[in-house]
Amino acid sequence: MGRGSPIPTMLRRKIVEQYQKGVTQRKIAKTLHLSSSTVHNIIRRFRESGTISVRKGQGRKTILDARDLRALKRHCTTNRNATVKEITEWAQEYFQKPLSVNTIHRAIRRCQLKLYSAKKKPFLSKIHKLRRCHWARDHLKWSVAKWKTVLWSDESRFEVLFGNLGRHVIRTKEDKDNPSCYQRSVQKPASLMVWGCMSACGMGSLHVWKGTINAEKYIQVLEQHMLPSRRHLFQGRPCIFQQDNARPHSASITTSWLRRRRIRVLKWPVYSPDLSTIENIWRIIKRKVRQRRPKTTEQLEACIRQEWESIPISKLEKLVSSVPRRLLSVVRRRGDATQW
């Protein structure tokens, strides 16, 4: 038992029981393998207060009290992107106390705070937030049934994975330069740009781009993949086509082609991937592809197509049904990015 550690409750109770039976303090200390002063102090506290609990206030007092911790928590929540070193410099000046980085790190944990990796979200200016908020308010009246008539489309990039997976490795302190403990990365890994569409009725067609993407190639994809998917999923029923504001999508020739085909297009706010359900599909597929770890672009394409076709209808219906909640979240956050 370390120096200064409190005696366990069961052991203190045995000391008091032996004392009440008339056993001498020296014999109690010898029997329980304790010092005579420890036994004496426990018995003295029992005679004075009638209790065997540890006296409050024992041990070294912390350098930051409760009031200081509240001020530290307010500063951390106001400056969430500050480093521990910057917070330490502020605390030394604010509290006028000699504080180390380790002390501040422990104090942050006492404030029920912890350092996490921040989620990546697109930058939104005040105008972007205002437009997103207006768009969300205009579409709050849409029912889930109407959102199920939307054909969602988007592109996403998939990369071939090389080397070890993950940023963490199990090793000793001395193994930091062991080649097996390195995280390997490739400067420009081989990748595929994929276009796809889906609805609450099922998954549509999938197309792998070759070369750069422009408006002419995008129109070819719409003719060869979007139109057949719309006929297959909606069986002639009216539907709304969704696409983001990428340049090939908003080009004048693309807009003219959609107008000639009498395709109703859902007006989409800028920088709003959190409102598109197909973005969730891409994340699901990328997670599963990472687990399979394809080594070539051919294997990567095969994995993407297999995972694309394995998405269940129940998952699609759940994602489409979440759109009204996403819109409500945008309104509540005044146009800022949501959790989706």
Side-chain angles (χ1 to χ4, degrees), residues 187-212:
Q187 194 69 20
K188 291 184 179 180
S191 61
L192 293 176
M193 179 63 76
V194 180
W195 178 94
C197 62
M198 50 79 64
S199 73
C201 307
M203 303 298 292
S205 182
L206 194 70
H207 173 72
V208 178
W209 293 98
K210 293 182 179 179
T212 58

mmCIF file of all heavy atoms in Angstrom, residues 187-212:
data_model
loop_
_atom_site.group_PDB
_atom_site.id
_atom_site.type_symbol
_atom_site.label_atom_id
_atom_site.label_comp_id
_atom_site.label_asym_id
_atom_site.label_seq_id
_atom_site.Cartn_x
_atom_site.Cartn_y
_atom_site.Cartn_z
ATOM 1 N N GLN A 187 1.684 9.073 -52.785
ATOM 2 C CA GLN A 187 1.499 10.485 -53.096
ATOM 3 C C GLN A 187 0.239 10.703 -53.932
ATOM 4 O O GLN A 187 -0.593 11.541 -53.620
ATOM 5 C CB GLN A 187 2.729 11.013 -53.843
ATOM 6 C CG GLN A 187 2.799 12.524 -53.928
ATOM 7 C CD GLN A 187 3.059 13.170 -52.587
ATOM 8 O OE1 GLN A 187 3.536 12.501 -51.680
ATOM 9 N NE2 GLN A 187 2.738 14.441 -52.440
ATOM 10 N N LYS A 188 0.102 9.947 -55.024
ATOM 11 C CA LYS A 188 -1.079 10.062 -55.880
ATOM 12 C C LYS A 188 -1.606 8.661 -56.167
ATOM 13 O O LYS A 188 -1.278 8.057 -57.196
ATOM 14 C CB LYS A 188 -0.740 10.791 -57.180
ATOM 15 C CG LYS A 188 -0.417 12.266 -56.977
ATOM 16 C CD LYS A 188 -0.177 12.960 -58.302
ATOM 17 C CE LYS A 188 0.119 14.439 -58.099
ATOM 18 N NZ LYS A 188 0.357 15.131 -59.394
ATOM 19 N N PRO A 189 -2.445 8.108 -55.303
ATOM 20 C CA PRO A 189 -2.929 6.741 -55.516
ATOM 21 C C PRO A 189 -3.883 6.668 -56.704
ATOM 22 O O PRO A 189 -4.549 7.655 -57.059
ATOM 23 C CB PRO A 189 -3.662 6.428 -54.201
ATOM 24 C CG PRO A 189 -4.056 7.766 -53.664
ATOM 25 C CD PRO A 189 -2.980 8.718 -54.073
ATOM 26 N N ALA A 190 -3.942 5.498 -57.315
ATOM 27 C CA ALA A 190 -4.887 5.276 -58.408
ATOM 28 C C ALA A 190 -6.306 5.397 -57.885
ATOM 29 O O ALA A 190 -6.622 4.977 -56.772
ATOM 30 C CB ALA A 190 -4.657 3.893 -59.013
ATOM 31 N N SER A 191 -7.179 5.997 -58.687
ATOM 32 C CA SER A 191 -8.538 6.269 -58.224
ATOM 33 C C SER A 191 -9.526 6.115 -59.368
ATOM 34 O O SER A 191 -9.149 6.064 -60.548
ATOM 35 C CB SER A 191 -8.629 7.679 -57.624
ATOM 36 O OG SER A 191 -8.306 8.660 -58.601
ATOM 37 N N LEU A 192 -10.800 6.068 -59.004
ATOM 38 C CA LEU A 192 -11.898 5.990 -59.960
ATOM 39 C C LEU A 192 -12.951 7.021 -59.569
ATOM 40 O O LEU A 192 -13.266 7.185 -58.388
ATOM 41 C CB LEU A 192 -12.535 4.592 -59.955
ATOM 42 C CG LEU A 192 -11.689 3.421 -60.460
ATOM 43 C CD1 LEU A 192 -12.456 2.117 -60.276
ATOM 44 C CD2 LEU A 192 -11.312 3.609 -61.918
ATOM 45 N N MET A 193 -13.474 7.726 -60.576
ATOM 46 C CA MET A 193 -14.608 8.623 -60.359
ATOM 47 C C MET A 193 -15.865 7.895 -60.803
ATOM 48 O O MET A 193 -15.952 7.398 -61.930
ATOM 49 C CB MET A 193 -14.431 9.913 -61.151
ATOM 50 C CG MET A 193 -15.582 10.892 -60.984
ATOM 51 S SD MET A 193 -15.773 11.493 -59.288
ATOM 52 C CE MET A 193 -14.418 12.653 -59.218
ATOM 53 N N VAL A 194 -16.830 7.796 -59.905
ATOM 54 C CA VAL A 194 -18.023 6.987 -60.137
ATOM 55 C C VAL A 194 -19.257 7.877 -60.055
ATOM 56 O O VAL A 194 -19.362 8.743 -59.176
ATOM 57 C CB VAL A 194 -18.120 5.849 -59.091
ATOM 58 C CG1 VAL A 194 -19.351 5.002 -59.328
ATOM 59 C CG2 VAL A 194 -16.868 4.995 -59.129
ATOM 60 N N TRP A 195 -20.181 7.672 -60.988
ATOM 61 C CA TRP A 195 -21.498 8.333 -60.951
ATOM 62 C C TRP A 195 -22.555 7.284 -60.673
ATOM 63 O O TRP A 195 -22.472 6.157 -61.183
ATOM 64 C CB TRP A 195 -21.797 9.027 -62.282
ATOM 65 C CG TRP A 195 -23.157 9.688 -62.327
ATOM 66 C CD1 TRP A 195 -23.450 10.980 -62.039
ATOM 67 C CD2 TRP A 195 -24.403 9.080 -62.706
ATOM 68 N NE1 TRP A 195 -24.792 11.233 -62.191
ATOM 69 C CE2 TRP A 195 -25.405 10.068 -62.598
ATOM 70 C CE3 TRP A 195 -24.774 7.797 -63.103
ATOM 71 C CZ2 TRP A 195 -26.743 9.811 -62.885
ATOM 72 C CZ3 TRP A 195 -26.107 7.544 -63.376
ATOM 73 C CH2 TRP A 195 -27.083 8.542 -63.273
ATOM 74 N N GLY A 196 -23.558 7.658 -59.872
ATOM 75 C CA GLY A 196 -24.644 6.731 -59.581
ATOM 76 C C GLY A 196 -25.906 7.481 -59.229
ATOM 77 O O GLY A 196 -25.891 8.690 -58.956
ATOM 78 N N CYS A 197 -27.018 6.763 -59.243
ATOM 79 C CA CYS A 197 -28.301 7.344 -58.854
ATOM 80 C C CYS A 197 -29.091 6.308 -58.067
ATOM 81 O O CYS A 197 -28.896 5.103 -58.218
ATOM 82 C CB CYS A 197 -29.097 7.827 -60.072
ATOM 83 S SG CYS A 197 -29.531 6.515 -61.241
ATOM 84 N N MET A 198 -29.976 6.804 -57.196
ATOM 85 C CA MET A 198 -30.785 5.925 -56.352
ATOM 86 C C MET A 198 -32.057 6.651 -55.943
ATOM 87 O O MET A 198 -32.183 7.862 -56.100
ATOM 88 C CB MET A 198 -30.014 5.501 -55.103
ATOM 89 C CG MET A 198 -29.347 6.612 -54.312
ATOM 90 S SD MET A 198 -30.426 7.594 -53.214
ATOM 91 C CE MET A 198 -30.954 6.369 -52.049
ATOM 92 N N SER A 199 -33.001 5.887 -55.459
ATOM 93 C CA SER A 199 -34.251 6.422 -54.926
ATOM 94 C C SER A 199 -34.711 5.501 -53.810
ATOM 95 O O SER A 199 -34.071 4.489 -53.508
ATOM 96 C CB SER A 199 -35.312 6.534 -56.023
ATOM 97 O OG SER A 199 -35.799 5.251 -56.371
ATOM 98 N N ALA A 200 -35.833 5.845 -53.208
ATOM 99 C CA ALA A 200 -36.380 4.988 -52.173
ATOM 100 C C ALA A 200 -36.854 3.658 -52.745
ATOM 101 O O ALA A 200 -37.028 2.686 -51.996
ATOM 102 C CB ALA A 200 -37.532 5.699 -51.456
ATOM 103 N N CYS A 201 -37.049 3.576 -54.067
ATOM 104 C CA CYS A 201 -37.510 2.341 -54.709
ATOM 105 C C CYS A 201 -36.373 1.345 -54.933
ATOM 106 O O CYS A 201 -36.630 0.148 -55.091
ATOM 107 C CB CYS A 201 -38.175 2.660 -56.044
ATOM 108 S SG CYS A 201 -39.486 3.898 -55.930
ATOM 109 N N GLY A 202 -35.129 1.822 -54.985
ATOM 110 C CA GLY A 202 -34.010 0.919 -55.230
ATOM 111 C C GLY A 202 -32.819 1.654 -55.803
ATOM 112 O O GLY A 202 -32.839 2.874 -56.003
ATOM 113 N N MET A 203 -31.770 0.898 -56.065
ATOM 114 C CA MET A 203 -30.540 1.454 -56.611
ATOM 115 C C MET A 203 -30.643 1.535 -58.131
ATOM 116 O O MET A 203 -31.125 0.614 -58.790
ATOM 117 C CB MET A 203 -29.341 0.584 -56.227
ATOM 118 C CG MET A 203 -29.171 0.392 -54.733
ATOM 119 S SD MET A 203 -28.863 1.932 -53.857
ATOM 120 C CE MET A 203 -27.223 2.329 -54.470
ATOM 121 N N GLY A 204 -30.154 2.663 -58.662
ATOM 122 C CA GLY A 204 -30.144 2.841 -60.103
ATOM 123 C C GLY A 204 -28.853 2.345 -60.728
ATOM 124 O O GLY A 204 -28.158 1.496 -60.174
ATOM 125 N N SER A 205 -28.522 2.895 -61.877
ATOM 126 C CA SER A 205 -27.341 2.462 -62.614
ATOM 127 C C SER A 205 -26.084 3.105 -62.025
ATOM 128 O O SER A 205 -26.138 4.122 -61.348
ATOM 129 C CB SER A 205 -27.482 2.830 -64.091
ATOM 130 O OG SER A 205 -26.363 2.386 -64.821
ATOM 131 N N LEU A 206 -24.943 2.481 -62.313
ATOM 132 C CA LEU A 206 -23.646 2.953 -61.845
ATOM 133 C C LEU A 206 -22.727 3.098 -63.051
ATOM 134 O O LEU A 206 -22.673 2.213 -63.912
ATOM 135 C CB LEU A 206 -23.047 1.964 -60.841
ATOM 136 C CG LEU A 206 -21.859 2.444 -60.012
ATOM 137 C CD1 LEU A 206 -22.295 3.480 -59.004
ATOM 138 C CD2 LEU A 206 -21.215 1.265 -59.289
ATOM 139 N N HIS A 207 -22.008 4.220 -63.118
ATOM 140 C CA HIS A 207 -21.112 4.478 -64.249
ATOM 141 C C HIS A 207 -19.753 4.904 -63.725
ATOM 142 O O HIS A 207 -19.652 5.733 -62.814
ATOM 143 C CB HIS A 207 -21.682 5.576 -65.154
ATOM 144 C CG HIS A 207 -20.736 5.999 -66.234
ATOM 145 N ND1 HIS A 207 -20.441 5.197 -67.312
ATOM 146 C CD2 HIS A 207 -19.991 7.133 -66.392
ATOM 147 C CE1 HIS A 207 -19.569 5.821 -68.107
ATOM 148 N NE2 HIS A 207 -19.279 6.994 -67.560
ATOM 149 N N VAL A 208 -18.701 4.331 -64.299
ATOM 150 C CA VAL A 208 -17.326 4.687 -63.951
ATOM 151 C C VAL A 208 -16.783 5.616 -65.020
ATOM 152 O O VAL A 208 -16.748 5.260 -66.201
ATOM 153 C CB VAL A 208 -16.444 3.424 -63.821
ATOM 154 C CG1 VAL A 208 -15.002 3.826 -63.510
ATOM 155 C CG2 VAL A 208 -16.984 2.498 -62.748
ATOM 156 N N TRP A 209 -16.344 6.812 -64.614
ATOM 157 C CA TRP A 209 -15.832 7.798 -65.552
ATOM 158 C C TRP A 209 -14.447 7.384 -66.051
ATOM 159 O O TRP A 209 -13.655 6.810 -65.324
ATOM 160 C CB TRP A 209 -15.704 9.163 -64.883
ATOM 161 C CG TRP A 209 -17.000 9.799 -64.495
ATOM 162 C CD1 TRP A 209 -17.579 9.800 -63.269
ATOM 163 C CD2 TRP A 209 -17.875 10.529 -65.340
ATOM 164 N NE1 TRP A 209 -18.759 10.478 -63.297
ATOM 165 C CE2 TRP A 209 -18.974 10.946 -64.558
ATOM 166 C CE3 TRP A 209 -17.851 10.876 -66.690
ATOM 167 C CZ2 TRP A 209 -20.021 11.702 -65.069
ATOM 168 C CZ3 TRP A 209 -18.901 11.628 -67.203
ATOM 169 C CH2 TRP A 209 -19.964 12.024 -66.401
ATOM 170 N N LYS A 210 -14.172 7.747 -67.283
ATOM 171 C CA LYS A 210 -12.839 7.579 -67.851
ATOM 172 C C LYS A 210 -12.408 8.932 -68.402
ATOM 173 O O LYS A 210 -13.050 9.482 -69.282
ATOM 174 C CB LYS A 210 -12.844 6.521 -68.956
ATOM 175 C CG LYS A 210 -13.120 5.115 -68.446
ATOM 176 C CD LYS A 210 -13.060 4.092 -69.554
ATOM 177 C CE LYS A 210 -13.318 2.685 -69.005
ATOM 178 N NZ LYS A 210 -13.284 1.658 -70.078
ATOM 179 N N GLY A 211 -11.319 9.455 -67.859
ATOM 180 C CA GLY A 211 -10.862 10.781 -68.269
ATOM 181 C C GLY A 211 -11.550 11.867 -67.456
ATOM 182 O O GLY A 211 -12.164 11.618 -66.420
ATOM 183 N N THR A 212 -11.436 13.092 -67.954
ATOM 184 C CA THR A 212 -12.016 14.231 -67.257
ATOM 185 C C THR A 212 -13.524 14.301 -67.489
ATOM 186 O O THR A 212 -14.048 13.755 -68.467
ATOM 187 C CB THR A 212 -11.360 15.542 -67.745
ATOM 188 O OG1 THR A 212 -11.542 15.650 -69.171
ATOM 189 C CG2 THR A 212 -9.882 15.553 -67.414
#
